[in-house]
């Protein structure tokens, strides 16, 4: 039996090995978003950040009845729902579920990894999503960044490349580096909340349910043990 | 006549009812006097778990239908409405999505138990066949349900899977049109999948579960030793190793169900996406007929078959391979010629075959879920050969195999 399990586990390991060997050249290791999903203060700050910086282009349609979003000024009438002609013909995505589509670490890394690129119509490019249509909103806050080695110059095989290995800050923005990190963390935290507003309740109920089953387990175990005493006697008959 | 001899009104109603009520007899026959071998181990809990899963899916499903909108324009939004605005809607929906995957996990383990202990062998062939039909119905139920949220993966899975019909010679395009109800997967397709998912298939499933259980009651349970234990309810022939279902296995199942539901609830409340296996990231994007996702992979419970499809060069051949892979499981009871049922008493050959079979099936599952590469393609083909060899060579190796002597009574 143990052998079976070991081999099954090994089976899962094989594809992950292969995945490592086909690393695409512009693979950037995602930085871990240091969010705390139960920190409501951070989520509310993120909502305000969203209202001020993101809502001129992005919608959050599924949050139209959400109290936290409303309190931060994110309401359906202020969302850019009726704009038909976007620059470069690309409609900015609705971000209600973006944290589930991309993952929070992807969002955190993406928002950090814009850099100047005069070949792009927007003047900026992104390490994680080359040729993104999103303009350099973040660079105003973060400061001007340039690519140091060229975005596709990946070093030694299997070495983790983070966005900050590739980009250099050449001019400070309206925020200090740590302020910017905190703001992006709040924003990503808010987007995680936007994707799953029930998350906090889900965990709280989950703990209660598991507690209930723990008690049930003890009772069911004692009940089974008591009844099966008779069966033990059958063995020697 | 003395007044006290006349039955009171209450007594006469009771006796009238007792003479007609089928329940006590049913209870006695199927619960208190239904005997099982005493050595059934934890593998035998998965049957009970799948009944629990069936109940959870039906109940959560009923409540989801109350708010779900089965139209191409309303489906995705209504699912988000359930998740956000409906009270406990997230719980119901996560119950249903986690339930779908856990149901399959339980069913696969239940099937594994049957193969391991030879529960498909005579006289239990009909139990196995009914179970296999349930498995196929479940695959259909899962597929039609997967389409309903109308995300990108829902849409493209529906497109890819229905397009298989077009590779049927001569009638392909007609069947495709008949399946989709339109020239593309769209509103009509969604609507009919909804009807099938909530009425037709669950009804079939209910009937087949009854058939499966009835067939089992007729012949009695197998056991890990695979030896005959007389569980027929006649006191003179009843085996010393037979114990009644109630209270012994009801309390054991209760304990098992508590542990099982703890695991189920842990996933439901803390990791419902299960790392993208139970709910794929791409399916959080609304269906877009104009944009194909970068990679269309199958859900994990169908991915062994999807891997087969991708590894075979011609689509029709791939489909025939899948059909054969499922069909061959139906004839399993007649392929096994071993004098013993359980793997415990089979020899090295059968054990190696079993191990190779598990590796190939799980391996195909992993490959089917990953993007295809030439290396994986070759690996998948090797696994397909092993998969079929397990069945096709069984009449040979099960006879050649050196078996161990069977015990007279069940072991612990």
């Amino acid at each position: 039996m143990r052998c079976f399990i070991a081999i099954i586990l090994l089976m899962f390991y094989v594809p992950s090995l292969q995945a490592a060997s086909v690393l695409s050249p512009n693979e950037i290791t995602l930085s871990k978003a240091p969010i705390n999903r139960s920190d409501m203060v951070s989520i509310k700050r993120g909502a305000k950040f969203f209202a001020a910086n993101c809502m001129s282009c992005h919608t959050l349609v599924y949050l139209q009845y959400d109290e936290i979003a409303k309190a931060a000024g994110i309401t359906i009438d202020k969302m850019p729902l009726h704009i038909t002609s976007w620059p470069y013909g690309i409609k900015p995505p609705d971000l209600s579920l973006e944290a589930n589509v991309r993952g929070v670490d992807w969002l955190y890394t993406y928002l950090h990894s814009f850099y100047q690129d005069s070949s792009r119509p927007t003047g900026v490019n992104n390490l994680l999503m080359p040729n993104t249509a999103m303009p350099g909103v973040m660079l105003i806050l973060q400061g001007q960044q340039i690519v140091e080695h060229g975005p596709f110059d990946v070093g030694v095989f299997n070495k983790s490349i983070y966005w900050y290995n590739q980009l250099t800050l050449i001019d400070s923005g309206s925020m200090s580096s740590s302020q910017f990190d905190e703001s992006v963390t709040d924003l990503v935290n808010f987007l995680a909340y936007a994707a799953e507003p029930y998350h906090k309740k889900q965990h709280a109920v989950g703990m209660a349910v598991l507690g209930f089953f723990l008690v049930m387990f003890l009772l069911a175990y004692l009940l089974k043990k008591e009844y099966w005493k008779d069966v033990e006697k059958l063995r020697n008959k | 006549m003395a007044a006290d001899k006349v039955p009171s009104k209450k007594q006469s109603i009771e006796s009238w009812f007792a003479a007609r009520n089928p329940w006590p007899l049913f209870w006695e026959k199927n619960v208190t006097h239904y005997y099982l071998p005493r050595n059934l181990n934890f593998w035998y809990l998965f049957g009970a778990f799948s009944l629990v899963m069936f109940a959870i899916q039906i109940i959560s499903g009923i409540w989801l239908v109350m708010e779900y909108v089965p139209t191409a324009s309303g489906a995705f939004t209504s699912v988000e409405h359930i998740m956000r605005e409906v009270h406990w809607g997230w719980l119901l929906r996560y119950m249903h999505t986690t339930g779908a995957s856990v149901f399959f996990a339980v069913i696969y383990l239940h099937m594994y138990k049957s193969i391991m202990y030879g529960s498909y062998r005579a006289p239990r062939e009909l139990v196995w066949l009914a179970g296999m039909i349930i498995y196929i119905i479940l695959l259909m139920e899962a597929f039609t349900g997967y389409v309903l949220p109308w995300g990108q993966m829902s849409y493209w899975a529906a497109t890819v899977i229905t397009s298989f019909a077009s590779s049927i010679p001569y009638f392909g395009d007609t069947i495709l049109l008949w399946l989709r109800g339109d020239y593309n997967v769209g509103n009509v397709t969604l609507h009919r999948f909804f009807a099938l998912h909530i009425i037709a298939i669950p009804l079939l499933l209910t009937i087949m579960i009854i058939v499966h259980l009835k067939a089992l009651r007729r012949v009695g349970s197998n056991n890990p030793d695979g030896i005959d234990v007389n569980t027929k309810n006649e006191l003179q022939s009843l085996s010393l190793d037979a114990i009644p279902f109630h209270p012994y296995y009801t309390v054991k199942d209760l304990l098992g169900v508590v542990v099982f539901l703890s695991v189920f609830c842990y996933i439901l409340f803390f990791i419902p996406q299960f790392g993208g296996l139970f709910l794929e990231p791409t399916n959080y994007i609304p269906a877009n007929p104009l944009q194909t996702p970068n990679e269309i992979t199958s859900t994990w419970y169908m991915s062994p078959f999807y891997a087969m499809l991708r590894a075979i060069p011609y689509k029709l051949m791939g489909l025939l391979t899948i059909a054969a892979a499922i069909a061959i499981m139906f004839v399993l009871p007649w392929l096994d010629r071993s004098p013993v049922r359980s793997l415990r008493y089979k020899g090295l050959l059968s054990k190696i075959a079993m191990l190779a079979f598990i590796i190939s099936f799980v391996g195909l599952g992993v490959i089917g879920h990953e993007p295809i590469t030439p290396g994986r393609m070759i690996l998948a083909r090797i696994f397909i050969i092993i998969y079929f060899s397990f069945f096709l060579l069984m009449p040979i190796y099960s006879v050649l195999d050196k078996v161990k002597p069977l015990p007279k009574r069940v072991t612990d």
Side-chain angles (χ1 to χ4, degrees):
Chain A
M1 196 59 226
R2 221 172 291 161
C3 176
F4 278 51
I5 293 170
I7 284 169
I8 288 165
L9 288 179
L10 195 69
M11 292 307 310
F12 283 102
Y13 189 61
V14 172
S16 63
L17 278 178
Q18 285 178 328
S21 62
V22 291
L23 252 180
S24 71
N26 56 343
E27 198 102 15
I28 298 286
T29 308
L30 299 181
S31 304
K32 188 134 182 50
I35 59 166
N36 172 8
R37 295 185 69 171
S38 55
D39 183 353
M40 295 315 282
V41 180
S42 154
I43 289 171
K44 284 173 184 164
R45 277 200 305 263
K48 289 219 172 75
F49 186 96
F50 186 92
N53 298 286
C54 317
M55 211 169 48
S56 49
C57 297
H58 290 286
T59 55
L60 281 175
V61 288
Y62 298 125
L63 270 81
Q64 55 177 312
Y65 305 113
D66 188 89
E67 291 304 325
I68 286 179
K70 273 190 208 163
I74 302 170
T75 50
I76 197 87
D77 54 301
K78 287 188 196 147
M79 290 179 200
L81 283 167
H82 304 292
I83 300 175
T84 45
S85 70
W86 290 96
Y88 326 115
I90 295 169
K91 186 181 179 291
D94 180 84
L95 297 182
S96 309
L97 289 160
E98 200 66 7
N100 280 355
V101 175
R102 306 278 189 182
V104 288
D105 296 342
W106 189 95
L107 291 174
Y108 186 78
T109 311
Y110 174 76
L111 292 170
H112 271 93
S113 55
F114 282 90
Y115 61 90
Q116 287 182 311
D117 182 351
S118 54
S119 69
R120 299 285 307 152
T122 51
V124 292
N125 209 333
N126 191 286
L127 282 181
L128 205 52
M129 195 191 216
N131 302 339
T132 179
M134 182 169 156
V137 195
M138 300 313 281
L139 289 183
I140 301 168
L141 312 169
Q142 190 184 14
Q144 297 305 319
Q145 293 193 120
I146 53 162
V147 175
E148 209 161 57
H149 308 292
F152 308 123
D153 177 23
V154 168
V156 193
F157 170 71
N158 228 0
K159 188 188 157 201
S160 296
I161 307 280
Y162 293 96
W163 65 271
Y164 44 79
N165 299 134
Q166 301 261 315
L167 300 177
T168 314
L169 196 65
I170 51 163
D171 193 8
S172 56
S174 61
M175 285 179 172
S176 72
S177 167
S178 61
Q179 273 176 332
F180 182 76
D181 286 350
E182 280 165 25
S183 293
V184 172
T185 306
D186 291 340
L187 176 61
V188 172
N189 206 2
F190 170 65
L191 289 175
Y193 167 83
E196 296 173 356
Y198 45 80
H199 185 267
K200 202 177 163 188
K201 190 177 182 188
Q202 186 191 1
H203 274 211
V205 176
M207 292 307 284
V209 169
L210 290 184
F212 168 78
F213 279 128
L214 189 67
V215 177
M216 279 292 285
F217 172 78
L218 290 173
L219 294 176
Y221 175 73
L222 292 174
L223 194 67
K224 191 251 166 191
K225 209 176 153 193
E226 185 63 30
Y227 272 106
W228 277 69
K229 271 181 190 163
D230 316 343
V231 182
E232 303 297 310
K233 288 176 204 151
L234 275 180
R235 202 185 297 171
N236 308 316
K237 246 189 195 174
Chain B
M1 202 189 275
D4 56 5
K5 294 271 173 70
V6 178
S8 69
K9 190 127 192 163
K10 193 184 164 208
Q11 278 171 329
S12 76
I13 291 175
E14 269 174 7
S15 64
W16 179 91
F17 191 66
R20 288 155 181 82
N21 181 13
W23 182 246
L25 206 65
F26 176 87
W27 181 257
E28 186 178 297
K29 205 177 149 197
N30 291 295
V31 182
T32 53
H33 287 70
Y34 173 61
Y35 285 82
L36 292 155
R38 70 171 168 86
N39 63 334
L40 303 187
N41 58 15
F42 79 97
W43 285 104
Y44 283 78
L45 293 168
F46 289 99
F49 295 167
S50 38
L51 272 183
V52 171
M53 280 326 301
F54 180 66
I56 288 177
Q57 291 305 82
I58 294 282
I59 292 166
S60 60
I62 289 171
W63 262 268
L64 288 174
V65 171
M66 292 179 192
E67 296 286 344
Y68 172 75
V69 178
T71 61
S73 57
F76 192 89
T77 306
S78 74
V79 171
E80 280 310 312
H81 167 67
I82 290 169
M83 294 300 277
R84 291 155 194 269
E85 280 108 46
V86 175
H87 284 293
W88 299 101
W90 56 268
L91 178 62
L92 291 165
R93 199 224 167 188
Y94 277 157
M95 236 186 226
H96 210 70
T97 56
T98 311
S101 275
V102 172
F103 204 162
F104 270 100
V106 166
I107 286 290
Y108 277 124
L109 292 168
H110 187 59
M111 290 164 80
Y112 172 66
K113 177 226 47 182
S114 302
I115 299 176
M116 183 166 53
Y117 296 140
S119 305
Y120 51 82
R121 298 288 298 276
R124 297 183 183 82
E125 297 97 324
L126 289 182
V127 184
W128 173 259
L129 292 182
M132 275 307 298
I133 293 170
I134 290 177
Y135 173 61
I136 290 174
I137 296 174
L138 264 186
L139 286 172
M140 282 163 33
E141 178 71 348
F143 166 60
T144 50
Y146 187 73
V147 174
L148 301 187
W150 213 240
Q152 271 291 68
M153 290 310 284
S154 300
Y155 181 87
W156 290 97
T159 303
V160 169
I161 293 183
T162 52
S163 78
F164 293 164
S166 68
S167 58
I168 297 168
Y170 306 116
F171 310 107
D173 290 334
T174 318
I175 294 173
L176 182 67
L177 191 62
W178 182 76
L179 273 178
R180 290 180 179 172
D182 202 342
Y183 293 101
N184 286 303
V185 171
N187 204 35
V188 187
T189 323
L190 175 63
H191 226 94
R192 62 179 53 187
F193 277 24
F194 179 62
L196 294 173
H197 183 76
I198 69 161
I199 303 168
I201 306 174
L203 205 59
L204 260 177
L205 198 56
T206 312
I207 295 167
M208 283 317 297
I209 290 171
I210 294 169
V211 171
H212 186 61
L213 290 176
K214 275 295 193 189
L216 175 70
R217 290 297 188 260
R218 175 72 179 81
V219 291
S221 272
N222 184 33
N223 63 78
D225 286 318
I227 56 171
D228 285 321
V229 174
N230 197 334
T231 54
K232 290 286 163 275
N233 187 18
E234 292 138 17
L235 281 177
Q236 54 272 54
S237 66
L238 194 65
S239 162
L240 280 172
D241 289 326
I243 54 173
F245 178 61
H246 181 71
Y248 299 108
Y249 280 110
T250 45
V251 294
K252 195 175 176 180
D253 282 352
L254 178 72
L255 180 62
V257 166
V258 167
V259 174
F260 168 67
L261 283 182
S262 309
V263 175
F264 177 73
C265 287
Y266 177 75
I267 298 171
L268 192 166
F269 287 105
F270 297 98
I271 40 170
Q273 279 93 2
F274 211 73
L277 270 185
F278 290 5
L279 287 167
E280 289 98 333
T282 325
N283 223 22
Y284 284 105
I285 305 171
N288 182 356
L290 302 174
Q291 191 186 37
T292 323
N294 293 337
E295 195 69 47
I296 301 180
T297 54
S298 116
T299 47
W300 70 268
Y301 42 82
M302 293 184 192
S303 66
F305 304 113
Y306 190 64
M308 288 181 188
L309 185 79
R310 286 198 304 191
I312 307 284
Y314 303 102
K315 209 171 175 183
L316 184 61
M317 285 304 291
L319 286 175
L320 289 174
T321 309
I322 294 178
I326 294 176
I328 204 162
M329 284 199 258
F330 275 85
V331 293
L332 181 62
W334 295 276
L335 295 175
D336 192 346
R337 303 279 168 85
S338 174
V340 299
R341 291 196 187 106
S342 172
L343 198 65
R344 283 187 181 176
Y345 301 99
K346 285 180 178 171
L348 195 61
L349 274 178
S350 292
K351 282 176 181 161
I352 291 170
M354 185 77 197
L355 187 64
F357 170 70
I358 293 168
I359 292 169
S360 67
F361 194 72
V362 175
L364 281 169
V366 173
I367 291 169
H369 203 78
E370 301 276 329
I372 194 82
T373 61
R376 283 178 202 156
M377 185 98 100
I378 293 165
L379 203 58
R381 286 175 188 165
I382 295 169
F383 286 150
I384 292 171
I385 294 168
I386 297 174
Y387 178 92
F388 281 99
S389 308
F390 172 75
F391 293 100
L392 294 174
L393 298 181
M394 193 179 267
I396 301 167
Y397 67 73
S398 62
V399 172
L400 291 179
D401 208 14
K402 275 207 183 73
V403 298
K404 291 176 203 151
L406 288 175
K408 288 268 183 294
R409 287 184 58 186
V410 299
T411 59
D412 288 288

